[in-house]
Amino acid sequence: MNKTKWFAALSLFAAHGWAYADAISGEVTKQPLNIPAIVMFFLFVGFTLGITVWASKKNKSTKDYYTAGGGISGFQNGLAIAGDYMSAASFLGISAMVFSNGYDGLIYSTGFLVGWPIVLFLIAERLRNLGKFTFSDVAAYRLQQTPVRLFAASGSILVVIFYLIAQMVGAGKLIQLLFGMDYIYAVVLVGFLMVCYVLFGGMLATTWVQIIKAVMLLSGASFMAFVILKNAGFSPETMFRQAVDIHEKGVDILGPGSLVQNPIDALSLGLALMFGTAGLPHILMRFFTVPDAKEARKSVFVATGFIGYFYLLTFVIGFGAIIFVTKDNPHFFTQMVKEGKTVFEMIGGTNMAAIHLSEALGGNLFLGFISAVAFATILAVVAGLALSGASAVSHDIYSSVIRKGKATQHEEMRVSKATTLALGVLAVLFGVMFEKQNVAFMVGLAFSIAASANFPILMLSMFWKGLTTRGAVVGGFTGLILAVGLIVLGPTVWVKVLGHEHAIFPYANPAIFSIPAAFIISWLVSVLDKSARGKEDKAGFESQYVRSMTGIGASQASDH
């Protein structure tokens, strides 16, 4: 295997809170062709394209296209949500963090997981009862449609674009590294497949791509964890002892380390992960694919179980990598001299720990399987993002704002498909443009916008009678602008990307400031709003509350 440099993980992990997002960024060198991985990749693509053809025959209306006709079961939807959420960055990044820092990696895993009970207990059921295709349906339910939908669509599209750019750049580099394919071809391939899944198969095909990916990822990760634990006699204590004996940090890997040294940043990161999860448009959209609120609840329950199980597996895989991916093996590490000192660098960078571990545990065939899983993971996530972005444009902006709800289903579908195509082209262009850039901050930005703009307005619209249109729009845009502005002025972008010596805003994660700001401004503006529209907004809360709790009228709303 050629020597590879992947300047991503460790230094940035310690430097800022969004290190997780950097799991698939950095500089890579193309690897030799990985034949088993390519064969398994083609099997996956062929199978999922077959599903897309099948799904395309079932898409007759906007409801079919956006929400798979509302016919996905709670279990299937839960698995699909898990597939949407368990990204390649999670799999490679978290296990690499455990490999490098031990216990600290578990803190990140927990941060992502704790958002799900909020979704389960506060949002899922009401969201399903109030919404139709997008979360804007819920935010604008009793408020003035045009301004609220424009705000909500802005937040959704920004989240989708930032998330998509990070995924495309990561996909190009990961495929370059795993399959030996040129970066440009890798990005074009991901963009082409993403457009095919969404354009022809809509939500039904996207759902099944996510389900298949989730099953593949959970199966592969379970096998790895099983072999690791079997080696330790199924004793976690023995596994930890073996890891402590090998790791250069010794027993320190079992305690909190440098990743959470700054309590403000750590808390801010936790808030963004927790509330950002409940504001991601492509995740919220999945709750409209089930037939009723009971299945929505069930889907979150199932998703939480699978996601929690997955993050536990990454913890075991990280410790397994410490045990099996050792510096004395030239397959995994290369020796070099730096500044007069002999050092060992993992081939492909620290983020390849899980990939190298798969080879150590299951040989070249299993390495191919895990490589194909990593690729499937990226495809599933970008397909969900593209569908979410397309629905924000076609349903929220075109149909609800421009055509004032008078667009036919055919017209809305046409706009949605055109948007999907445009997103595919943009994704490839952005992927090429940002190839040499550190795009880690973009995932952080996406989570911060979701937590600071989408989440506060979603919560206030569902739970506070006093919210008015003016309050929602001003408060929502305040959270959005603060999240973007503070990340740009913070160390992640201002210092690391723009090259300034000192950051204007000292923290990498703005959520601890931007989330309360959005709530407070929304509250203040709503309280001061004495307009006729404001009174109308408040008066509409009672009927919304009844609908959100009972679901009366929800199915009819989904049918029109």
Side-chain angles (χ1 to χ4, degrees):
M1 188 178 282
N2 292 337
K3 177 181 165 187
T4 305
K5 288 189 176 178
W6 200 358
F7 301 113
L10 197 54
S11 60
L12 290 174
F13 283 167
H16 61 80
W18 293 110
Y20 153 84
D22 205 39
I24 48 175
S25 69
E27 199 170 307
V28 300
T29 302
K30 192 175 82 167
Q31 296 296 293
L33 283 178
N34 184 339
I35 301 300
I38 291 174
V39 170
M40 291 190 191
F41 157 71
F42 275 112
L43 284 175
F44 170 79
V45 169
F47 187 54
T48 49
L49 285 179
I51 288 175
T52 304
V53 172
W54 164 74
S56 67
K57 294 174 183 172
K58 290 183 170 289
N59 286 334
K60 307 292 183 192
S61 65
T62 49
K63 184 183 173 185
D64 295 331
Y65 186 74
Y66 291 134
T67 63
I72 304 293
S73 73
F75 183 84
Q76 290 169 338
N77 195 42
L79 202 50
I81 290 173
D84 209 349
Y85 199 73
M86 299 181 301
S87 66
S90 304
F91 179 54
L92 303 180
I94 298 281
S95 52
M97 291 175 76
V98 176
F99 173 79
S100 302
N101 297 296
Y103 177 80
D104 272 2
L106 186 64
I107 296 174
Y108 271 75
S109 307
T110 309
F112 284 93
L113 187 61
V114 294
W116 284 102
I118 293 177
V119 180
L120 174 62
F121 292 113
L122 294 181
I123 293 181
E125 184 173 344
R126 293 185 184 216
L127 202 70
R128 176 60 189 84
N129 284 339
L130 289 172
K132 184 182 175 188
F133 298 144
T134 66
F135 101 93
S136 306
D137 294 333
V138 181
Y141 186 85
R142 65 187 162 95
L143 307 179
Q144 193 175 354
Q145 296 291 309
T146 300
V148 175
R149 282 190 184 275
L150 279 177
F151 151 70
S154 304
S156 296
I157 292 169
L158 279 177
V159 169
V160 166
I161 288 177
F162 286 131
Y163 218 122
L164 202 54
I165 291 173
Q167 291 291 330
M168 291 301 289
V169 173
K173 292 181 177 177
L174 192 63
I175 293 166
Q176 190 180 7
L177 192 65
L178 296 178
F179 294 85
M181 187 182 290
D182 286 339
Y183 178 87
I184 180 89
Y185 295 133
V187 169
V188 171
L189 183 64
V190 172
F192 173 76
L193 288 172
M194 174 186 86
V195 169
C196 284
Y197 291 141
V198 178
L199 197 63
F200 301 110
M203 179 57 90
L204 189 57
T206 303
T207 298
W208 280 103
V209 170
Q210 288 164 344
I211 289 174
I212 293 167
K213 165 260 175 129
V215 171
M216 288 173 67
L217 183 57
L218 288 169
S219 303
S222 295
F223 174 76
M224 292 168 81
F226 175 81
V227 176
I228 293 164
L229 289 171
K230 183 173 181 289
N231 177 69
F234 295 101
S235 165
E237 189 181 345
T238 305
M239 180 186 74
F240 291 137
R241 193 182 307 115
Q242 290 173 339
V244 166
D245 290 341
I246 293 172
H247 203 284
E248 59 190 16
K249 293 181 181 176
V251 76
D252 288 346
I253 61 171
L254 297 182
S258 59
L259 290 179
V260 289
Q261 277 181 344
N262 185 330
I264 301 289
D265 251 340
L267 183 59
S268 194
L269 170 66
L271 290 174
L273 295 180
M274 190 161 63
F275 297 126
T277 301
L280 290 174
H282 64 293
I283 297 291
L284 296 176
M285 192 179 178
R286 294 224 53 90
F287 295 111
F288 307 124
T289 65
V290 292
D292 53 39
K294 181 185 173 187
E295 292 298 308
R297 250 191 338 266
K298 184 178 174 184
S299 60
V300 185
F301 186 75
V302 171
T304 307
F306 281 124
I307 292 170
Y309 173 63
F310 169 73
Y311 282 125
L312 279 178
L313 292 180
T314 59
F315 191 59
V316 176
I317 289 169
F319 273 94
I322 295 173
I323 299 166
F324 289 96
V325 183
T326 52
K327 290 181 179 176
D328 58 356
N329 191 329
H331 274 286
F332 308 137
F333 279 87
T334 181
Q335 185 178 344
M336 62 178 61
V337 177
K338 273 189 176 179
E339 298 175 353
K341 295 180 180 176
T342 301
V343 295
F344 292 89
E345 283 198 354
M346 183 178 286
I347 294 171
T350 314
N351 291 311
M352 290 293 284
I355 302 293
H356 288 317
L357 179 64
S358 67
E359 186 180 4
L361 298 178
N364 208 34
L365 195 61
F366 190 58
L367 168 67
F369 176 77
I370 289 298
S371 301
V373 165
F375 185 73
T377 295
I378 291 168
L379 275 180
V381 174
V382 295
L385 286 169
L387 189 58
S388 175
S391 63
V393 172
S394 61
H395 180 62
D396 295 327
I397 295 180
Y398 175 75
S399 179
S400 301
V401 174
I402 296 176
R403 297 295 306 276
K404 308 290 183 190
K406 293 177 181 172
T408 64
Q409 291 194 13
H410 178 70
E411 290 171 332
E412 196 174 325
M413 289 269 285
R414 197 170 55 195
V415 172
S416 182
K417 292 187 174 184
T419 309
T420 302
L421 201 55
L423 275 174
V425 173
L426 279 177
V428 171
L429 289 178
F430 283 141
V432 174
M433 283 170 56
F434 284 88
E435 179 190 353
K436 304 294 183 187
Q437 305 295 317
N438 182 349
V439 294
F441 71 93
M442 289 189 182
V443 175
L445 202 52
F447 263 84
S448 289
I449 292 172
S452 308
N454 297 354
F455 175 73
I457 304 311
L458 193 61
M459 292 298 289
L460 289 174
S461 69
M462 288 195 294
F463 292 97
W464 185 43
K465 180 180 180 179
L467 182 70
T468 67
T469 299
R470 201 173 291 170
V473 173
V474 176
F477 272 118
T478 299
L480 192 156
I481 292 168
L482 267 181
V484 175
L486 293 180
I487 282 194
V488 170
L489 297 176
T492 308
V493 176
W494 197 254
V495 177
K496 297 184 189 307
V497 177
L498 299 179
H500 294 92
E501 192 173 347
H502 300 291
I504 296 173
F505 177 69
Y507 304 108
N509 307 295
I512 197 169
F513 304 102
S514 52
I515 294 174
F519 274 107
I520 291 169
I521 297 295
S522 297
W523 168 79
L524 188 61
V525 173
S526 295
V527 168
L528 296 175
D529 185 3
K530 306 299 180 189
S531 65
R533 180 65 228 185
K535 291 175 184 171
E536 193 179 329
D537 294 336
K538 293 171 186 174
F541 182 77
E542 295 301 331
S543 62
Q544 176 186 314
Y545 180 76
V546 172
R547 163 82 170 263
S548 70
M549 297 303 291
T550 63
I552 294 173
S555 57
Q556 289 84 346
S558 293
D559 290 335
H560 68 68

